[in-house]
Amino acid sequence: AQRVTQPEKLLSVFKGAPVELKCNYSYSGSPELFWYVQYSRQRLQLLLRHISRESIKGFTADLNKGETSFHLKKPFAQEEDSAMYYCALSSSGNTGKLIFGQGTTLQVKP
Amino acid sequence: SAVISQKPSRDICQRGTSLTIQCQVDSQVTMMFWYRQQPGQSLTLIATANQGSEATYESGFVIDKFPISRPNLTFSTLTVSNMSPEDSSIYLCSVSGNLNTGELFFGEGSRLTVL
């Protein structure tokens, strides 16, 4: 079965501390993985995708096929990073359908 | 990018009634997607709305409960029929930004509370 698991509902860190939001997936084919973010009172939006291998707002995520993971990392958290983060898997090639994890709330304390 | 407007943004409904959510996109798109986010849960795809054909429903969702219209390339509606408290959720409309990248753009959601 195709599944995305985010084991932490809440991650609380202090400003300047490193952050790692965990994501594991189950998928039989070649996965396309994404991180979406929802800031307070804003709509859900794409943060980054594994294909691009990009760093957005200091965040990076590496696809590890051996561990079936796609953890989101940032070396120094900022207060404005506080948000809900969703890991998502594209399940059907290019149809745009996504399977989402349950989300992790990141709280960055001053 | 695409700008998506949903109406209503929130509503409180009585058990047994039906409510229609509207989704308007600022550009023509082939596919539109309706997701549900129950309290404390993740987003789950309800159906894919294609212009000119019947919507395609995911496992666990049926047309009688969630009828969808897609009259043109910029608009879609989702109706939640015969509502019960279990239907209290945020319903989100989304469209593909780029089929090659899998990116989705989302509306702000419609928060329904069923009493």
Side-chain angles (χ1 to χ4, degrees):
Chain A
Q2 298 159 355
R3 184 179 300 161
V4 176
T5 303
Q6 293 178 248
E8 303 143 328
K9 275 198 150 179
L10 172 65
L11 182 63
S12 186
V13 302
F14 284 102
K15 175 182 173 181
V19 169
E20 183 179 52
L21 299 165
K22 292 189 178 359
C23 173
N24 288 90
Y25 66 90
S26 172
Y27 185 64
S28 56
S30 228
E32 292 185 34
L33 285 148
F34 308 83
W35 277 98
Y36 279 78
V37 60
Q38 186 166 27
Y39 301 102
S40 179
R41 300 183 188 280
Q42 294 187 28
R43 64 188 68 198
L44 191 63
Q45 59 187 287
L46 178 67
L47 178 62
L48 55 78
R49 47 184 169 253
H50 92 269
I51 287 177
S52 302
R53 294 183 167 275
E54 56 201 346
S55 172
I56 303 293
K57 299 184 179 183
F59 284 98
T60 59
D62 291 319
L63 178 61
N64 185 323
K65 292 186 179 181
E67 296 182 358
T68 59
S69 69
F70 187 57
H71 303 328
L72 183 68
K73 300 177 184 178
K74 184 169 183 175
F76 308 103
Q78 302 300 313
E79 288 181 69
E80 55 265 30
D81 296 328
S82 295
M84 175 71 94
Y85 291 81
Y86 292 95
C87 183
L89 169 73
S90 179
S91 68
S92 304
N94 294 331
T95 65
K97 297 194 296 189
L98 295 178
I99 296 171
F100 285 86
Q102 291 191 309
T104 298
T105 299
L106 174 63
Q107 185 182 73
V108 181
K109 296 179 284 191
Chain B
S1 67
V3 177
I4 303 169
S5 303
Q6 276 186 244
K7 286 193 290 189
S9 58
R10 59 178 62 228
D11 207 340
I12 298 174
C13 309
Q14 296 299 317
R15 182 194 302 257
T17 63
S18 299
L19 183 81
T20 295
I21 303 167
Q22 299 179 4
C23 178
Q24 179 75 52
V25 188
D26 69 342
S27 57
Q28 294 184 339
V29 294
T30 305
M31 291 188 286
M32 296 174 75
F33 305 90
W34 287 98
Y35 282 83
R36 180 176 74 179
Q37 186 173 25
Q38 293 177 301
Q41 304 294 316
S42 184
L43 286 80
T44 303
L45 182 65
I46 297 171
T48 302
N50 304 304
Q51 196 271 333
S53 64
E54 294 250 335
T56 305
Y57 288 84
E58 298 299 307
S59 175
F61 298 97
V62 295
I63 188 170
D64 289 347
K65 177 66 175 177
F66 297 102
I68 286 172
S69 78
R70 184 78 201 274
N72 57 52
L73 290 173
T74 63
F75 187 78
S76 178
T77 67
L78 169 76
T79 298
V80 187
S81 303
N82 188 25
M83 286 186 283
S84 66
E86 293 72 36
D87 294 319
S88 297
S89 296
I90 299 173
Y91 292 86
L92 295 122
C93 173
S94 70
V95 304
S96 288
N98 183 332
L99 287 180
N100 290 328
T101 65
E103 178 179 4
L104 293 183
F105 295 103
F106 286 87
E108 291 184 324
S110 298
R111 182 184 294 269
L112 301 188
T113 301
V114 185
L115 303 177

